[in-house]
Amino acid sequence: MVAYIEAARNRRTSESSGGVCFTAWKCECAKMRKVVLITGASSGIGLALCKRLLAEDDELHLCLACRNMSKAEAVCAALLASHPTAEVTIVQVDVSNLQSVFRASKELKQRFQRLDCIYLNAGIMPNPQLNIKALFFGLFSRKVIHMFSTAEGLLTQGDKITADGLQEVFETNVFGHFILIRELEPLLCHSDNPSQLIWTSSRNARKSNFSLEDFQHSKGKEPYSSSKYATDLLSVALNRNFNQQGLYSNVACPGTALTNLTYGILPPFIWTLLMPAILLLRFFANAFTLTPYNGTEALVWLFHQKPESLNPLIKYLSATTGFGRNYIMTQKMDLDEDTAEKFYQKLLELEKHIRVTIQKTDNQARLSGSCL
């Protein structure tokens, strides 16, 4: 059930005396308004992004793509209460479950004629472990500022296999979103009016943690860094393959903001104790955006640019000065287009395999059902 309908009914009557019934009004609004889909929209960076976008333009139609429907409904109600002229809808999707991605994609294609922008924001960093030894030695090295800005070498994570037989971090942060894009191509590819893909990447995306031979990072200990580097590669490849069809992709890093991801590294009370030191460090390391609002600076900025004018090889970074001023930085990504294209082809091969497997499973289920 589309969450915004009941709220809209409280604001407008469904009487057709004015010549337009509620259903027709809804369809007309969907055509005129810019439609923005945001994955992981119920908390952290995704939620702050929703608030900032509506604060700047409450004529948008935001579609919240969330796993937890109760949280999404609460967020939807709050957004509508503060922005009564906006349109806010919900679609349930778990990007770590491909069946969920296929169902959501089908629903979105029934609802919308086009999507103007997708924020590919949902992501996980499961069971992060702080490398105390690396932290200790880093404190006394010349790379101390770089270490704190990127967390390079400081974090390792656990990983597991999903029901789809894929590494969880890879499927959630990369492949689930890739399948979502593939399914929604008809809504995105319009050469007369470009659409945007905006990925939440990371300064922690390290080339050294990624391998084409193990692109799911099943053998390593830094799947998060690997997945974010994979995101950067995929964005470059998507531009190469879809720009002529009117689809453009860019990546942004929100910096170090206090969200569920960072609270997984250290509990909230530890971050509170560290805050004076972090605020001091921010005079030397602009990656400490600290709040989700600040972290969305680059993500919101990208939305307002002409996507065809942006450099696909640049990562756009949210940054905050020691005095709390937000601004945008750019960073050339440490990758090459040949590797990006090879990775893209590997994803297409994996997609083909997954589709065949799902089709076989569905056929077996139908046969079993007919025999009962």
Side-chain angles (χ1 to χ4, degrees), residues 292-329:
Y293 179 95
N294 294 345
T296 61
E297 191 72 17
L299 295 160
V300 172
W301 181 86
L302 283 169
F303 179 70
H304 294 301
Q305 308 310 303
K306 291 184 178 180
E308 60 271 29
S309 70
L310 297 168
N311 187 337
L313 298 177
I314 291 292
K315 182 177 294 184
Y316 297 87
L317 314 175
S318 296
T320 305
T321 69
F323 295 103
R325 182 180 66 84
N326 296 325
Y327 63 105
I328 311 298
M329 291 182 61

Side-chain angles (χ1 to χ4, degrees), residues 102-157:
F102 286 124
R103 284 194 299 270
S105 301
K106 182 179 180 180
E107 186 176 340
L108 289 166
K109 284 184 282 189
Q110 291 171 345
R111 289 193 206 173
F112 301 111
Q113 293 182 344
R114 64 169 284 117
L115 291 173
D116 295 280
C117 179
I118 301 181
Y119 279 99
L120 304 144
N121 169 71
I124 59 169
M125 184 196 292
N127 305 312
Q129 300 293 319
L130 187 63
N131 188 330
I132 301 299
K133 183 178 179 181
L135 174 62
F136 178 79
F137 283 106
L139 288 173
F140 301 98
S141 74
R142 295 180 180 179
K143 295 184 177 181
V144 60
I145 300 298
H146 174 78
M147 179 185 69
F148 279 112
S149 297
T150 65
E152 182 177 352
L154 291 183
L155 298 174
T156 60
Q157 304 92 43

Side-chain angles (χ1 to χ4, degrees), residues 98 102 175 178-179 182-183 344-360:
L98 295 181
F102 286 124
F175 194 65
F178 172 72
I179 294 297
R182 293 281 291 163
E183 287 292 298
Y344 179 69
Q345 293 302 321
K346 284 182 177 291
L347 290 183
L348 291 177
E349 292 172 10
L350 180 58
E351 176 194 0
K352 183 178 179 180
H353 170 73
I354 288 291
R355 289 184 185 275
V356 170
T357 301
I358 289 176
Q359 186 63 50
K360 287 181 179 179

